[in-house]
Amino acid sequence: MAAGLFRAEMSMLSSIRLKRSAMAAGVFRAEVSMLSSPLARSFSIPFRKTLSSFDSRIATQRNSLPRTRHSRVASLSSSSPSHPRNFPLPGIEDVFVGYLFGRKKATEVAHVVWEQVIQKGDMVIDATCGNGNDTLAMLKMVTDESDCCGGCVYAMDIQKDAIESTSCLLDQTLGSEEKERVKLFNMCHSKMEEIVPENSSVRMVAFNLGYLPGGNKSIITASNTTVLALKAAERVLMPGGLISLVVYIGHPGGREELEVVEAFGSSLPVSDWVCCKLQMLNRPLAPVLVFMFKREK
């Protein structure tokens, strides 16, 4: 009789556990459903399928959780057969996860975002060309091997040393015809409207705010000219274009300049712009990524 009561109690406990597990799974699926509805409307690809497959993987692994707990981080990598294929912006997943775990630089994140916006044949502006690495990356995005798409990069910097460094890099990397696609200007980025041909469509304006790497650290971008440059970028940018900023704040004046950038982005109308910021919480001097996307009409 005691054994029978014991078995009955164990049966009841098992039933309760199963019900609780089912309820928890139901809550999880409800949350995924709530997320998938707006996200599916935001992207042209079937993002709901990604969430459904993720829900299925969780359900499949529920019984073997203690043995597979170590695989959760691994499932975020590109080795997963379904995740990259369904990710909303192909190619951007790995670099963001790498940035999250400290394996990627802020500039690498920026370059991958650029690739989602820039098209062959576009005109883009490198508003702070520095040593030319961003200029070179942009050129590869707007041109192709056939050299028939007509893309070009307008690169500018207030420091002559930066223009010379960029020119040297381009000489070492590009042929003469490719280099003709880059126009270099030794001038302040606040005057970018003076170098853009009239009635031109600019797809992207990119900034690296701070000082020239390897140069004189006392020469930095300033808040007053940066806000003028941002207003100029707003005027020349085409619908579907991007203003990209990597803001270095580990120097005097850097944090104040970030505040100016944030205030400018916050003032742009939601109906016409999507603005976001990516910042490390426990690395107060790490560069801050800011993206301002101009909606297509």
Side-chain angles (χ1 to χ4, degrees):
M1 182 175 179
L5 288 174
F6 177 77
R7 281 194 296 270
E9 290 173 356
M10 287 298 293
S11 177
M12 291 173 64
L13 288 172
S14 298
S15 176
I16 291 172
R17 290 194 187 100
L18 287 171
K19 289 179 180 179
R20 288 177 177 174
S21 177
M23 288 175 64
V27 170
F28 176 79
R29 282 191 292 272
E31 291 173 350
V32 170
S33 177
M34 289 167 65
L35 288 171
S36 65
S37 178
L39 286 172
R41 290 193 297 269
S42 301
F43 299 101
S44 59
I45 66 167
F47 189 71
R48 183 179 284 108
K49 183 178 178 182
T50 304
L51 295 172
S52 299
S53 63
F54 178 71
D55 188 21
S56 299
R57 288 200 299 272
I58 293 296
T60 302
Q61 296 178 2
R62 186 178 294 119
N63 293 332
S64 56
L65 184 61
R67 294 195 302 274
T68 60
R69 187 171 298 167
H70 65 278
S71 68
R72 288 187 174 183
V73 173
S75 67
L76 294 173
S77 69
S78 59
S79 60
S80 172
S82 61
H83 194 59
R85 182 172 63 248
N86 296 318
F87 201 74
L89 298 178
I92 206 171
E93 177 194 18
D94 288 344
V95 73
F96 265 103
V97 172
Y99 185 70
L100 175 65
F101 290 108
R103 296 192 298 267
K104 297 290 185 180
K105 297 179 180 179
T107 51
E108 293 179 275
V109 176
H111 287 188
V112 175
V113 173
W114 298 352
E115 290 175 347
Q116 310 304 321
V117 176
I118 295 176
Q119 302 174 20
K120 300 298 182 183
D122 279 341
M123 175 188 295
V124 298
I125 298 176
D126 186 351
T128 47
C129 63
N131 289 318
N133 296 302
D134 286 345
T135 304
L136 184 60
M138 291 178 202
L139 183 64
K140 293 179 179 179
M141 296 178 195
V142 301
T143 59
D144 56 28
E145 294 180 357
S146 65
D147 197 35
C148 64
C149 61
C152 62
V153 180
Y154 285 74
M156 55 197 309
D157 203 291
I158 199 170
Q159 295 190 66
K160 186 177 180 180
D161 289 347
I163 297 297
E164 292 175 351
S165 180
T166 298
S167 181
C168 182
L169 176 65
L170 297 178
D171 285 338
Q172 294 172 356
T173 310
L174 305 174
S176 57
E177 293 184 359
E178 290 178 299
K179 191 178 178 182
E180 289 179 359
R181 299 289 186 185
V182 181
K183 311 298 181 183
L184 297 175
F185 300 89
N186 183 198
M187 60 193 300
C188 178
H189 55 200
S190 63
K191 300 180 180 179
M192 70 176 68
E193 288 174 288
E194 298 178 12
I195 67 173
V196 177
E198 189 175 357
N199 299 322
S200 297
S201 297
V202 177
R203 179 75 66 177
M204 187 185 75
V205 181
F207 298 84
N208 273 335
L209 301 181
Y211 53 82
L212 174 65
N216 186 346
K217 294 184 178 181
S218 65
I219 303 176
I220 60 174
T221 52
S223 299
N224 58 334
T225 53
T226 293
V227 71
L228 292 175
L230 286 170
K231 291 179 179 179
E234 178 188 2
R235 289 190 290 267
V236 303
L237 199 70
M238 64 187 294
L242 176 72
I243 299 176
S244 169
L245 303 102
V246 180
V247 187
Y248 292 86
I249 58 177
H251 60 275
R255 196 166 294 279
E256 290 77 8
E257 190 169 28
L258 173 62
E259 292 175 356
V260 167
V261 171
E262 291 174 336
F264 175 82
S266 299
S267 69
L268 295 174
V270 176
S271 58
D272 297 325
W273 293 83
V274 178
C275 303
C276 66
K277 177 180 71 171
L278 186 60
Q279 183 175 19
M280 292 292 182
L281 293 178
N282 64 341
R283 292 174 54 202
L285 300 182
V288 180
L289 285 154
V290 180
F291 299 110
M292 305 176 190
F293 179 76
K294 189 174 183 179
R295 297 181 190 269
E296 296 183 272
K297 300 298 183 179

